[in-house]
Amino acid sequence: MENTLNNLEIYDNIKFMIKYCDTFLDYCHNENLSIDGNIAGEIVDSLTNLEEYLEQPDETLTNEELQSIYEDLSDIYYGLTTINDIKLFNNIHIVYSKVLKETKEILIKTGIEME
């Protein structure tokens, strides 16, 4: 079986995580919450990278592309948990964490090498 977002059944997970991050960042902006702009920028960069993969969910992905997806997901999670000092948000991110963990496990099962 080819490694595509649809075949790996991670298309919806990634789509959810992107929407979640967009909503969270918008909320922080709308509520004038103090966030680290550099981290927000890194999150947006990673989201943009992931969105490119969503455009062709049936395209066969190389191990390098799968590794890149994994790294972007990890970077986003790190960014979410360090973007501000409001501890409540770490609890709010629990659903994101669950979807992220499931997605990363699927990627690891494809045999990509983790650095």
Side-chain angles (χ1 to χ4, degrees):
M1 177 165 72
E2 297 176 338
N3 288 328
T4 70
L5 295 183
N6 281 331
N7 286 347
L8 295 172
E9 298 179 0
I10 59 173
Y11 176 84
D12 288 334
N13 289 10
I14 292 173
K15 192 173 175 181
F16 164 79
M17 289 186 278
I18 289 171
K19 182 67 174 172
Y20 177 91
C21 289
D22 285 342
T23 301
F24 177 72
L25 292 174
D26 286 345
Y27 174 79
C28 289
H29 176 74
N30 292 338
E31 296 299 319
N32 293 320
L33 298 176
S34 176
I35 62 173
D36 184 314
N38 291 331
I39 295 174
E42 290 172 9
I43 291 172
V44 170
D45 289 345
S46 292
L47 293 174
T48 301
N49 293 342
L50 292 174
E51 286 173 334
E52 291 177 16
Y53 291 108
L54 293 181
E55 293 174 6
Q56 297 179 333
D58 291 314
E59 182 178 312
T60 301
L61 301 169
T62 65
N63 280 348
E64 291 79 21
E65 290 168 321
L66 293 170
Q67 177 73 30
S68 177
I69 290 170
Y70 185 94
E71 289 173 5
D72 283 329
L73 293 172
S74 296
D75 291 345
I76 291 168
Y77 181 71
Y78 173 76
L80 285 176
T81 58
T82 59
I83 198 166
N84 60 40
D85 59 358
I86 301 172
K87 298 298 179 203
L88 170 65
F89 288 138
N90 289 338
N91 294 327
I92 291 172
H93 299 316
I94 217 151
V95 172
Y96 182 96
S97 300
K98 181 179 181 335
V99 174
L100 172 69
K101 181 179 179 216
E102 290 173 359
T103 305
K104 288 171 110 178
E105 286 172 357
I106 291 168
L107 290 170
I108 290 170
K109 285 180 185 177
T110 67
I112 60 171
E113 293 184 24
M114 307 317 312
E115 296 178 356

